[in-house]
Amino acid sequence: MGRQIIEGILRRTASVLLVLFVLSLMIFVLARVVPGDPARMALGPSATAEQVADLQAEMGLDQPIIVQYGRYMGNALRGDLGESLVTNRSVTADIADFLPATLELVLVTVFLVFLISVPLGVLTARYRDRWIDNAGRFFSLFGVTIPSFLFAVGLQLLAGSFFPDWPILGRVDYQLNAPDGPTGLLLVDSLVHGRFDVFVDALQHLAFPALALAMAGIGQITRITRSAMIENLRKDHVLTLRSFGVPERVVVFRYLLKLSSIAPLTIMGLEFASLIGNAFVVEMVFGWGGFASYGLTAILQKDLNALMAVVLISGLFFIFANLLVDLALSLIDPRLRLRGQSA
Amino acid sequence: MSHLDTTDDTQMTAAWMGWYRFSRNPAAIIGAAIVISVLVMAALAPWITPFPDHVGSVVDFRNRHAPPSAVNWMGTDKAGRDIFSRTVFGFRVSLLLVFGVLVISVPVGAVLGMCAGYFGGWAEKIITGLTNVMLAMPPLVMALAIGNVLEPTLINAMFAITLLWWTWHARLVYRVTVSVANEDFIEAARLAGAGPVHILFREILPNCIAVISVKTTLDAAFVILFGATLSFLGFGVKPPTPDLGSMVADGRQFLPEKWWEVLAPGFAIFYATLGFNLLGDGLRDMFDVEA
């Protein structure tokens, strides 16, 4: 891998770490400045002033904000994110419980986005301005225009009316006694334990939430794949390949698609932030009980430690996704590697 | 790229060409028609809806959950209020949010973007740095977090969005500014003794208008979508004022039997965002810019 790519990755990581720092500081300060005492909220209205003061001291709330923040970040770097005021457990343990559900949903969603939008983008570019292109354009506009929560509600309504037996709430049927661990991803765990009934059931539960979450990405990636394909179709090397008599199938899938996957991959990385945001809505509608549901509860209940963790981890999610995108790009595009060597 | 050193004549032709391209684009015309219809419906809501008093605290329990009929075109909700009337009034909240967010973030973003591009130096560093920062956070998570730390209302959440949103405009305008900053007409203005204020607002700004108007139109769609999502999650306006997102959230409890309660507000959100998206795409083709 070229030096420039590594430098680029480091630079991006550094800048996002800076973001996380600024954001966490902002939320931390806001939460402390605004009325509404977390100690009072945790103890309820019947607690005495003395009890509140004790808890405040225990939580370090009597210290200056910057000291509190420093202590918080110091602990966070050691994996201690404090205690949730709602679940009364350590936030780290909560997140370890809830994160796999969201990870599973997001991974299946990303898979679904590429599975649908890349072939559709290729097809619409190949048959430009024919009926299939117009249908594809309409479909992507549909995906971009409709908010995820409407898709989620609409899919639930469809399922409820036409497939009454299809599960539309939760991750898995509890009567099945889904196996625990090792990853927390039901699709993986069920296969590890050889429980195909659980696998099928989990897949059924995943179908609608993942589709609802994927629609926005599908719309966007289809459009971008299409325009990248069309742009590259005009390039000289494609003309050369064609004039050499290379079969159309090979031209499209071996040369064009590879070249045209750069833009969609980059956009997918950037879209990841809104994907996570939409997961908050989709998880709520489908009773998914993942990290985003946890985050929503934390936010609505002013559970400060949980809220901070949710913001930080959402940011980390984004960094990680974009690192993967950068890696994939450097594998696909030799120019990125070469540029690094010559520099 | 259009520059100001053209004569009136060629400018006329350029504007006419743009309009020609716009008017030959059916999607753009449909978008413009939808946007105008939404604006008109919102403005005339009290006069065109059958039950304008149902936006207030009217309760009509004998009529609750009534399916669509000749009287209640889109049925009634759990308090017996006419859903069609409330949906039309719901556009008002959506458009108010659009106005509130964009009236601050667009000018602020444009001015800061121009300054960053024209002056360079630390202004450039800070503003490009901030815009990169904003990419990394899910805006929904930010709005929820900041909005809730203050108070879980739609206004606060949108205030949070405004705080973040100007960076997108700053980014766009910055790019345009950098691309024209070394053009001859800027140099000419400077030699003629123009100050930085004149150069920024009279020489550079006109070159950014196309990008800004495209982005602002697309933003309007996004703000409507975003506001609906937030109010769906419980960051609503004060009841009984109708807003589209919380109407969907209310109606969802009665699915699938009472499907009409989510249909009208859901379609209204789709209709409005579709209109602004089509119009924005049409403007983009017309001005031939990347935004």
Side-chain angles (χ1 to χ4, degrees):
Chain A
M1 211 167 34
R3 214 185 65 205
Q4 199 165 346
I5 299 172
I6 297 177
E7 268 174 24
I9 289 175
L10 284 180
R11 203 177 315 122
R12 167 137 1 134
T13 311
S15 82
V16 181
L17 284 178
L18 189 72
V19 181
L20 286 180
F21 170 73
V22 173
L23 287 178
S24 58
L25 188 62
M26 200 162 81
I27 291 177
F28 202 86
V29 170
L30 260 178
R32 294 289 193 253
V33 167
V34 171
D37 178 358
R40 167 63 75 186
M41 304 232 345
L43 291 173
S46 59
T48 64
E50 221 169 276
Q51 286 171 317
V52 173
D54 278 352
L55 186 63
Q56 275 181 337
E58 192 190 317
M59 293 163 79
L61 292 174
D62 49 352
Q63 308 272 335
I65 286 179
I66 201 71
V67 175
Q68 291 182 35
Y69 179 75
R71 187 186 294 163
Y72 177 87
M73 285 317 267
N75 288 336
L77 289 177
R78 287 194 296 272
D80 173 13
L81 294 165
E83 200 170 287
S84 160
L85 298 179
V86 173
T87 62
N88 282 321
R89 297 171 48 194
S90 103
V91 171
T92 316
D94 275 347
I95 294 220
D97 272 0
F98 288 114
L99 198 57
T102 299
L103 204 59
E104 186 165 46
L105 178 63
V106 166
L107 287 176
V108 172
T109 300
V110 172
F111 176 73
L112 212 57
V113 167
F114 281 111
L115 187 75
I116 296 176
S117 57
V118 170
L120 198 60
V122 172
L123 219 59
T124 49
R126 187 75 189 70
Y127 298 99
R128 192 183 175 187
D129 290 331
R130 306 264 277 279
W131 69 268
I132 194 164
D133 185 25
N134 288 325
R137 194 178 300 157
F138 186 77
F139 182 71
S140 9
L141 190 67
F142 205 67
V144 176
T145 307
I146 299 185
S148 300
F149 76 91
L150 274 187
F151 270 121
V153 171
L155 285 171
Q156 259 189 343
L157 181 59
L158 280 182
S161 316
F162 298 107
F163 312 99
D165 296 331
W166 194 282
I168 48 170
L169 282 176
R171 289 176 73 194
V172 72
D173 191 339
Y174 283 104
Q175 290 167 352
L176 284 178
N177 272 324
D180 250 354
T183 58
L185 307 176
L186 281 172
L187 291 180
V188 178
D189 291 350
S190 59
L191 288 182
V192 168
H193 292 268
R195 292 284 304 275
F196 287 104
D197 53 334
V198 176
F199 182 80
V200 171
D201 188 65
L203 210 54
Q204 276 190 327
H205 278 85
L206 258 169
F208 284 126
L211 191 62
L213 193 52
M215 281 305 287
I218 291 174
Q220 200 138 20
I221 303 290
T222 305
R223 271 185 181 186
I224 287 158
T225 311
R226 175 182 176 274
S227 54
M229 285 287 289
I230 286 175
E231 200 188 310
N232 289 325
L233 270 170
R234 297 195 205 113
K235 294 265 170 75
D236 288 344
H237 71 273
V238 176
L239 197 66
T240 313
L241 285 169
R242 286 222 171 104
S243 61
F244 281 168
V246 176
E248 187 64 18
R249 195 167 37 86
V250 179
V251 173
V252 170
F253 287 100
R254 185 106 172 265
Y255 294 94
L256 267 177
L257 189 56
K258 201 170 166 188
L259 195 60
S260 308
S261 58
I262 294 168
L265 267 175
T266 315
I267 297 295
M268 192 67 216
L270 294 177
E271 276 296 293
F272 214 79
S274 62
L275 186 71
I276 299 204
N278 285 335
F280 276 65
V281 186
V282 171
E283 284 197 5
M284 177 204 153
V285 173
F286 286 97
W288 195 250
F291 165 75
S293 301
Y294 179 70
L296 195 61
T297 320
I299 288 169
L300 293 176
Q301 304 279 341
K302 291 206 183 187
D303 186 347
L304 189 68
N305 283 335
L307 190 153
M308 286 283 290
V310 165
V311 172
L312 288 175
I313 289 172
S314 301
L316 283 173
F317 240 128
F318 180 84
I319 302 178
F320 191 66
N322 279 285
L323 277 179
L324 287 182
V325 166
D326 283 348
L327 274 175
L329 285 181
S330 70
L331 289 178
I332 290 173
D333 190 349
R335 286 173 301 180
L336 287 175
R337 273 172 284 169
L338 287 174
R339 212 183 294 149
Q341 278 163 13
S342 61
Chain B
M1 181 66 53
S2 64
H3 297 306
L4 273 195
D5 52 354
T6 47
T7 64
D8 279 355
D9 230 26
T10 51
Q11 260 185 351
M12 274 297 290
T13 323
W16 195 83
M17 278 299 291
W19 167 246
Y20 179 79
R21 244 182 296 173
F22 186 82
S23 64
R24 295 298 293 244
N25 181 350
I29 292 295
I30 294 173
I34 292 177
V35 168
I36 291 170
S37 73
V38 170
L39 292 173
V40 168
M41 275 194 273
L44 301 181
W47 296 282
I48 58 171
T49 50
F51 299 97
D53 55 324
H54 281 198
V55 297
S57 44
V58 169
V59 177
D60 180 3
F61 277 121
R62 261 178 312 174
N63 249 333
R64 63 201 298 239
H65 298 308
S69 64
V71 184
N72 303 114
W73 300 340
M74 288 294 163
T76 62
D77 64 5
K78 61 182 174 189
R81 295 171 301 195
D82 182 52
I83 290 179
F84 176 74
S85 304
R86 288 177 64 76
T87 303
V88 172
F89 273 92
F91 280 136
R92 290 189 156 188
V93 172
S94 298
L95 291 176
L96 218 59
L97 288 178
V98 169
F99 183 76
V101 170
L102 297 182
V103 81
I104 300 173
S105 57
V106 173
V108 169
V111 170
L112 291 177
M114 283 195 300
C115 289
Y118 183 66
F119 296 117
W122 58 266
E124 185 177 11
K125 278 212 180 66
I126 290 179
I127 286 170
T128 51
L130 266 177
T131 53
N132 286 333
V133 161
M134 292 309 175
L135 274 175
M137 274 326 284
L140 194 66
V141 178
M142 277 316 291
L144 286 170
I146 297 181
N148 196 266
V149 163
L150 299 171
E151 181 89 6
T153 65
L154 197 52
I155 302 298
N156 279 340
M158 295 320 275
F159 169 71
I161 290 305
T162 311
L163 279 183
L164 310 175
W165 206 252
W166 64 269
T167 51
W168 290 97
H169 284 269
R171 195 184 178 84
L172 274 176
V173 169
Y174 165 78
R175 252 186 261 152
V176 177
T177 307
V178 167
S179 75
V180 299
N182 294 320
E183 295 279 342
D184 290 342
F185 69 95
I186 304 275
E187 195 56 36
R190 203 174 313 162
L191 287 175
V197 175
H198 176 94
I199 292 179
L200 284 181
F201 288 93
R202 301 299 294 276
E203 308 292 338
I204 295 180
L205 187 61
N207 289 289
C208 305
I209 292 296
V211 180
I212 293 174
S213 56
V214 172
K215 177 75 179 144
T216 305
T217 313
L218 293 173
D219 278 354
F222 185 82
V223 172
I224 293 174
L225 193 149
F226 207 83
T229 306
L230 285 167
S231 62
F232 178 78
L233 287 174
F235 280 55
V237 294
K238 210 169 99 198
T241 309
D243 74 275
L244 301 172
S246 36
M247 285 176 76
V248 175
D250 284 346
R252 189 171 81 90
Q253 304 158 19
F254 307 106
L255 286 178
E257 291 82 18
K258 317 268 193 300
W259 48 269
W260 58 86
E261 296 188 19
V262 297
L263 188 71
F267 180 77
I269 297 166
F270 168 66
Y271 183 74
T273 49
L274 178 73
F276 280 105
N277 268 320
L278 288 176
L279 181 61
D281 283 348
L283 288 176
R284 173 169 24 206
D285 291 344
M286 173 174 139
F287 290 127
D288 200 16
V289 291
E290 292 266 330

